[in-house]
């Protein structure tokens, strides 16, 4: 039930800090150590390469999961869009582990890859919000996202839950492999949950930014570099699917290779700048689009913010910024859809779970 909320999407956006705290609780034992199915730990340790398979928003979580796993657990990871995998089946490593990420656990494109990889005899792990779903039953192992039912078609809390569980999995694997890490995932995720709470309290500010930037536009661009790029792609998907504004997310460095041709007077460009090492370059991109008339909105992070930034998220660990920086993007998409009288929870032409290939 949505209670006092006008839409499930808004309720689910607000639930995110609680979902993260629930995940911390579920994945921690009484000695504050990571609690994880020992078989999953073994499978992670035994593989020589991970193939993440997913669609849509879950694919975007996978792109960040690759960063977590490669940086912390030091296992190479490939991320594939499920519907493309069979046509472009990569040369597999000797000991692959397939990781399926799916909120519903019912996505047909992902399932068809699972059927195919099982036939080849490869182990599979599913991260899903629905234990007992097809992808969960048919894989060897399951990790539960604990996000609670997600009703709005646009995925919000499942995305942040997927990233939280992927981060825990990455750290657990690092520990199992004896990699030296100076990163306490539960503590860092606790900080993220607090940041999320502060961000969901900034609805009025975000609604007004949405009015300023998106009220009449037909398109919108999201730019970012490194980890921010992947969050931008998710922000673009959220915006297009519920407000029908044509939106595209791409790497800041790619601007000059084509997309900058589309920038004209008043074109909204949302720039993410939460990563210290790329902050000067993305800010350079903002100047380039501004010089061509763009209306730029910079979302940065406390600690590396600059005076003119339109929105600043609280400080969280650099690797976990997507869990916080996506919240303003979700809320901007929500208000853009609301202001255009769109059906927020049930956008046209879309279904909550896509059970056909
Ligand atoms: C976007 C969205 C979709 C799903 C995609 C995969 O907001 O909801 O892109 O993420 O259809 O669905 P699952 O995660 O259920 O496999």
């Amino acid at each position: 039930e949505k209670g006092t909320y006008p839409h499930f999407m808004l309720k689910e956006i607000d639930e995110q800090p609680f979902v993260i705290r629930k995940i911390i609780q579920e994945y921690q034992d009484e000695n504050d150590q990571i609690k994880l199915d020992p078989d999953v730990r073994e499978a992670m340790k035994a593989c020589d390469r991970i193939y993440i398979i997913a669609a849509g928003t879950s694919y975007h979580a996978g792109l960040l999961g690759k960063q977590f796993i490669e940086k912390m657990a030091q296992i190479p990871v490939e991320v594939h869009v499920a519907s493309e995998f069979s046509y472009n089946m990569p040369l597999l490593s000797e000991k692959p582990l397939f990781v399926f990420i799916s909120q519903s656990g019912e996505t047909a494109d992902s399932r068809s890859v699972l059927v195919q990889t099982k036939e080849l005899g490869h182990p599979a792990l599913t991260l899903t919000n629905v234990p007992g779903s097809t992808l969960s039953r048919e894989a060897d192992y399951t990790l539960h996202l604990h996000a609670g039912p997600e009703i709005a078609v646009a995925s919000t809390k499942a995305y942040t839950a997927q990233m939280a569980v992927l981060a825990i999995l990455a750290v657990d694997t690092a520990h199992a492999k004896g990699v030296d890490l100076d990163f306490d995932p539960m503590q860092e995720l606790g900080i993220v949950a607090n940041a999320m709470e502060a961000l969901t309290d900034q609805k009025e500010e975000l609604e007004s930014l949405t009015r300023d930037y998106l009220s009449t536009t037909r398109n919108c661009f999201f730019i970012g570099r490194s980890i921010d790029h992947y969050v931008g792609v998710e922000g673009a998907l959220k915006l297009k699917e519920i407000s029908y504004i044509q939106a595209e997310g791409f790497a800041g460095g790619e601007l000059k290779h084509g997309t900058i041709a589309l920038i004209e007077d008043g074109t909204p460009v949302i720039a993410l700048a939460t990563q210290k090492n790329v902050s000067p370059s993305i800010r350079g991109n903002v100047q380039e689009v501004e010089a061509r008339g763009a209306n730029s909105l910079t979302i940065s992070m406390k600690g590396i913010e600059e005076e003119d930034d339109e929105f600043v998220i609280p400080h969280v660990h650099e690797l976990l910024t997507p869990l916080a920086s996506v919240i303003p993007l979700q809320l901007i998409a929500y208000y853009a859809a609301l202001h255009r009288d769109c059906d927020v929870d049930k956008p046209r032409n879309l279904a909550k779970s896509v059970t056909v290939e």
Side-chain angles (χ1 to χ4, degrees), residues 55-58 101-105 107 153-155 162 237-238 241 354:
T57 289
S58 298
I101 306 178
S102 176
Q103 189 284 129
S104 63
T107 299
V153 163
S155 181
Q162 285 161 349
L237 176 59
K238 265 333 57 121
E241 70 178 322
V354 185

Side-chain angles (χ1 to χ4, degrees), residues 198-228:
L199 288 163
T200 52
D201 281 345
Q202 281 176 279
K203 292 192 185 66
E204 274 175 34
E205 199 178 334
L206 288 160
E207 174 160 24
S208 127
L209 281 172
T210 309
R211 262 190 222 290
D212 294 348
Y213 283 82
L214 300 177
S215 49
T216 56
T217 191
R218 296 194 49 190
N219 60 0
C220 176
F221 297 105
F222 291 77
I223 57 172
R225 286 174 182 250
S226 170
I227 278 184
D228 286 334

Side-chain angles (χ1 to χ4, degrees), residues 28 37 42 73 77 107 186-187 191 268 276 328 336:
Q28 197 168 31
D37 176 354
E42 275 315 305
V77 181
T107 299
M186 303 311 181
Q187 193 186 333
I191 295 170
K276 198 171 179 185

